[in-house]
Amino acid sequence: MSPVFPMLTVLSMFYYMCLRRRARTATRGEMNSRRAIESNTRALPINVEIVQYAKEVLDFSSHYGSENSMSYTMWNLAGIPNVYPSSGDFTQTAVFRTYGTWWDHCPSARLPFKRTPPTFCSQDYVELAFEEPVYPTAVHILETYHPGAVVRILACSANPYSQNPPAEVRWEILWSEAPTKVNGPQARQFTPCIKQINFPTNLIRLEVNSSLLDYYTELDAVVLHGVKERPVLSLKTSMIDMNDIDEDEDEEKYGCGMDTLNKEFSIVTLREWPTNGYFDKLPYELIQLILSHLAVPDLCRLAQTCKLLYQHCCDPLQYIHLSLQPYWARINDTSLEYLQSRCTLIQWLNLSWTGNRGAISVSGFSRFLKVCGSELVRLELSCGHFLNETCLEVITEMCPNLQELNLSSCDKIPPQAFNHIAKVGSLKRLILYRTKVEQTALLSILNFCSELQHLSLGSCVMIEDYDLIASMMGAKCKKLRSLDLWRCKNITESGIAELASGCQLLEELDLGWCPTLQSSTGCFTNLARKLPNLQKLFLTANRSVCDTDIEELAANCTHLRQLDILGTRMVSPASLRKLLESCKDLSLLDVSFCSQIDNRVVLELNANFPNVFIKKSFTQ
């Protein structure tokens, strides 16, 4: 070896990389400092930390509350705390729609996508805008009930209040961790150690996973601390994360943001190796099976190693089921274009959370489906705010075999666009939660999609007459197994009677927060008698549910697994004992705010029926 380049030990190489990284950071910091000194328009000194609460809630995937009120909605995250430091169940907080694993064990549960990387466990998200773009130094999350759901905090380079949208939108992970179970439901201020980023931000995204929680997590406020100029990395730093160094090296080599994944998709230059490492001795099917365990980015990287593995990694059979949701921040039109040739046989496609802020265009989405839509059976598009009427028209034309369509929280789709869904007569599952679907379009869908088995209409506020909708379901949707009518405001006993008579295969029914249903009309006893296959029944916040209803469920719905009667004042401990004795499969019973069911009764029932999770919420 040449004396000019003496051999470096592993330790010296590590220090070399650390010093080089520190030098680069210091250089950029010095440039920022010079700019700050030269500018006379700075409102604050560069060393002053700015503390700000969220100014606005920009986007979210779900919430427990109504679209027409503030109770339990994500909009409560804007501004100063309403509840903290108090603990308990308060309507002034932000609450997501689900918790625990109960939703994974009901008839409407969907099969998970394979190849989801273990580092991605997010189930919901909320995006918050702040007044001033800053380099974040801390993020405080005020959790007031059942904390521990936050699993990722991200920062965005785009300023939501800027008149000029950036050419590229970058998202950086400030902090990420697997979900944890916190001992006790008490309030806390959660302040994880965040990493420094090289751009100012006033757009913060929280991602949550509530699967380990015993009840809904409640968030009160988010506080962003930061400085106007990028801080110089302190020389007293005791440890530099090797992962940060690797990421920085990748940024130098490949660029950052979406370009990284796109280059992995597009690189076709293959390295020349003398052999294929004996892979060519293995049967084709065995290599395919081995590669099926790789995540999509790993598959794209492996394709660059040799011609044999390139052939396997680009085989459309590797992309029968494809979830791009874990990579939502990096997926754009270019990504879809690169994937087209590999996805000609795709059957399951998950594009949930992708394409927002201009990342995916209508034309890019349409081009992809025209090439890859013919075999699609399942299409997940939750929170796809790029979707419009043209997109739905393309879906119905290019996906003749489609059976499952998820448009949850696609609240930018205009009402008239939903008429196109009626052309997909093969649909078995349709999720329209928090969409602007109107009555005329929905009646057309129900009329022509008679194969429907699972239908979600939760928080669809533009439907005027749910009784008419229920009547059409009873007449046309005989195979319906699950129905979500969460927070529908005008269904009555008439609609329930039509539904129960026509859809007797129903196993799951959510009538939570439906205020026009009254037990005195006999609607709940009618349900219990007509729907013996019920496994999940949510009557949340219906104060009229009484002992007669519970006893009818005990007598007729012995397969019941989940029952929510939160808020009723008319149910006694005696009727609950009958229910628990009759329904041997019952695993969830929510009796929160049931005035006759105090903590002493809950402890007694828990002791006698240990296999049932009996929830009693509280407010302090």
Side-chain angles (χ1 to χ4, degrees):
M1 180 178 291
S2 170
V4 180
F5 301 102
M7 184 172 63
L8 297 174
T9 64
V10 173
L11 185 59
S12 63
M13 180 62 78
F14 169 75
Y15 281 114
Y16 166 74
M17 289 188 293
C18 291
L19 289 171
R20 189 181 67 171
R21 177 181 177 88
R22 186 175 296 174
R24 286 201 308 269
T25 308
T27 302
R28 290 192 290 262
E30 290 166 2
M31 292 175 62
N32 287 338
S33 298
R34 275 198 300 273
R35 284 197 296 269
I37 293 171
E38 293 167 358
S39 173
N40 294 321
T41 60
R42 300 294 184 189
L44 292 170
I46 62 173
N47 59 342
V48 173
E49 187 175 61
I50 299 174
V51 179
Q52 49 187 332
Y53 291 96
K55 178 181 179 180
E56 185 181 357
V57 176
L58 298 179
D59 189 23
F60 55 90
S61 55
S62 77
H63 59 183
Y64 186 89
S66 166
E67 302 303 296
N68 300 320
S69 76
M70 291 294 291
S71 298
Y72 296 123
T73 63
M74 287 298 118
W75 300 305
N76 285 316
L77 279 175
I80 62 174
N82 298 309
V83 173
Y84 186 85
S86 298
S87 297
D89 190 338
F90 290 90
T91 61
Q92 301 96 324
T93 57
V95 185
F96 292 97
R97 176 76 193 274
T98 63
Y99 73 94
T101 59
W102 310 111
W103 277 258
D104 297 328
H105 298 100
C106 56
S108 63
R110 288 164 284 170
L111 293 174
F113 277 77
K114 297 178 181 179
R115 280 190 165 139
T116 300
T119 55
F120 181 80
C121 56
S122 304
Q123 297 174 332
D124 277 295
Y125 74 85
V126 58
E127 293 180 1
L128 305 168
F130 295 80
E131 183 72 34
E132 293 287 338
V134 294
Y135 291 91
T137 56
V139 176
H140 301 315
I141 304 171
L142 306 184
E143 303 172 280
T144 55
Y145 199 36
H146 288 279
V150 178
V151 293
R152 284 213 301 186
I153 305 174
L154 301 97
C156 184
S157 63
N159 184 341
Y161 301 120
S162 173
Q163 299 297 322
N164 302 314
E168 180 191 24
V169 176
R170 290 181 55 191
W171 286 92
E172 284 286 343
I173 298 175
L174 300 180
W175 172 87
S176 178
E177 195 171 285
T180 57
K181 187 173 179 64
V182 178
N183 293 326
Q186 286 74 26
R188 72 170 185 176
Q189 176 179 291
F190 180 51
T191 308
C193 182
I194 64 173
K195 78 170 188 179
Q196 291 186 5
I197 56 175
N198 61 5
F199 58 82
T201 183
N202 61 340
L203 175 52
I204 297 294
R205 175 177 171 125
L206 308 182
E207 294 185 357
V208 304
N209 180 313
S210 303
S211 61
L212 298 182
L213 302 186
D214 292 333
Y215 205 58
Y216 300 96
T217 189
E218 299 190 8
L219 310 179
D220 192 14
V222 177
V223 191
L224 175 62
H225 291 238
V227 292
K228 294 294 287 184
E229 294 294 331
R230 185 179 182 186
V232 179
L233 186 64
S234 171
L235 294 177
K236 297 180 180 180
T237 302
S238 60
M239 181 175 65
I240 295 179
D241 192 345
M242 283 298 294
N243 291 328
D244 289 343
I245 294 175
D246 291 342
E247 289 172 5
D248 206 59
E249 296 294 329
D250 287 342
E251 286 182 11
E252 281 190 345
K253 185 174 181 181
Y254 296 120
C256 58
M258 296 180 181
D259 286 345
T260 305
L261 191 64
N262 292 336
K263 288 187 178 182
E264 289 170 2
F265 286 147
S266 63
I267 289 175
V268 295
T269 304
L270 305 178
R271 301 173 186 176
E272 293 296 331
W273 298 96
T275 70
N276 289 324
Y278 298 105
F279 264 92
D280 49 358
K281 306 296 183 184
L282 297 177
Y284 192 94
E285 293 81 3
L286 181 56
I287 299 177
Q288 287 285 294
L289 179 61
I290 295 171
L291 300 188
S292 68
H293 295 280
L294 294 179
V296 175
D298 295 331
L299 204 61
C300 296
R301 294 185 191 107
L302 186 63
Q304 303 169 33
T305 57
C306 67
K307 292 180 179 179
L308 175 66
L309 291 180
Y310 175 82
Q311 178 185 358
H312 280 280
C313 292
C314 295
D315 191 323
L317 291 175
Q318 287 291 337
Y319 301 85
I320 298 294
H321 293 180
L322 177 62
S323 176
L324 296 177
Q325 183 179 7
Y327 321 105
W328 61 265
R330 295 183 283 170
I331 299 299
N332 59 14
D333 282 350
T334 308
S335 311
L336 295 183
E337 183 179 349
Y338 289 145
L339 284 167
Q340 277 185 21
S341 61
R342 307 181 188 191
C343 295
T344 53
L345 299 178
I346 191 169
Q347 296 178 6
W348 287 14
L349 176 61
N350 186 359
L351 286 174
S352 294
W353 300 5
T354 65
N356 297 333
R357 294 184 173 84
I360 295 178
S361 65
V362 172
S363 57
F365 176 76
S366 301
R367 284 195 302 270
F368 183 81
L369 278 195
K370 286 175 181 177
V371 175
C372 308
S374 61
E375 302 297 324
L376 265 183
V377 175
R378 176 179 175 183
L379 182 56
E380 305 280 340
L381 295 170
S382 174
C383 304
H385 301 313
F386 65 91
L387 295 171
N388 63 9
E389 182 170 4
T390 300
C391 294
L392 289 196
E393 186 175 7
V394 169
I395 290 171
T396 58
E397 290 178 357
M398 297 295 116
C399 307
N401 299 307
L402 197 63
Q403 295 181 11
E404 300 187 22
L405 179 60
N406 180 4
L407 298 175
S408 172
S409 291
C410 293
D411 53 359
K412 302 294 190 295
I413 301 176
Q416 70 276 6
F418 293 93
N419 284 294
H420 294 286
I421 298 177
K423 304 172 188 176
V424 190
S426 56
L427 273 183
K428 294 183 179 180
R429 184 190 301 272
L430 179 59
I431 302 177
L432 298 177
Y433 168 72
R434 289 192 65 238
T435 62
K436 295 178 180 176
V437 62
E438 288 183 333
Q439 186 165 300
T440 303
L442 185 55
L443 288 172
S444 180
I445 292 170
L446 296 174
N447 186 45
F448 291 103
C449 300
S450 58
E451 298 296 314
L452 275 174
Q453 297 180 17
H454 306 281
L455 178 62
S456 174
L457 300 174
S459 293
C460 291
V461 298
M462 299 188 71
I463 298 173
E464 300 170 354
D465 187 352
Y466 268 99
D467 281 346
L468 183 57
I469 297 298
S471 177
M472 179 64 80
M473 290 181 201
K476 295 290 185 177
C477 303
K478 302 293 185 179
K479 299 179 181 180
L480 207 59
R481 292 179 53 213
S482 72
L483 177 61
D484 179 6
L485 295 179
W486 175 264
R487 292 190 179 275
C488 77
K489 294 297 184 183
N490 52 38
I491 192 168
T492 69
E493 66 277 5
S494 174
I496 292 297
E498 296 277 358
L499 183 68
S501 297
C503 303
Q504 297 190 2
L505 298 180
L506 271 174
E507 300 171 356
E508 177 180 342
L509 182 58
D510 193 333
L511 296 173
W513 296 88
C514 295
T516 50
L517 293 176
Q518 294 296 315
S519 174
S520 58
T521 63
C523 58
F524 300 135
T525 57
N526 188 31
L527 277 178
R529 293 168 183 171
K530 294 286 184 65
L531 303 177
N533 297 316
L534 274 181
Q535 297 180 29
K536 172 183 174 180
L537 178 61
F538 274 28
L539 303 175
T540 316
N542 192 305
R543 300 184 186 278
S544 70
V545 176
C546 63
D547 283 346
T548 302
D549 303 319
I550 301 301
E551 290 168 4
E552 286 288 346
L553 288 172
N556 298 287
C557 302
T558 55
H559 300 296
L560 200 62
R561 295 175 180 269
Q562 301 179 29
L563 178 63
D564 186 343
I565 53 171
L566 175 149
T568 181
R569 302 171 179 174
M570 312 293 289
V571 171
S572 67
S575 64
L576 288 184
R577 291 189 190 95
K578 291 182 182 179
L579 179 77
L580 292 166
E581 290 169 356
S582 176
C583 301
K584 304 296 184 183
D585 296 328
L586 197 67
S587 57
L588 171 65
L589 177 60
D590 194 336
V591 292
S592 299
F593 303 108
C594 294
S595 56
Q596 294 191 45
I597 313 299
D598 56 24
N599 288 333
R600 179 186 58 80
V601 172
V602 171
L603 290 174
E604 176 197 335
L605 294 176
N606 274 326
N608 294 327
F609 303 95
N611 294 329
V612 184
F613 178 76
I614 303 175
K615 180 58 188 175
K616 177 70 174 177
S617 185
F618 71 97
T619 300
Q620 288 183 346

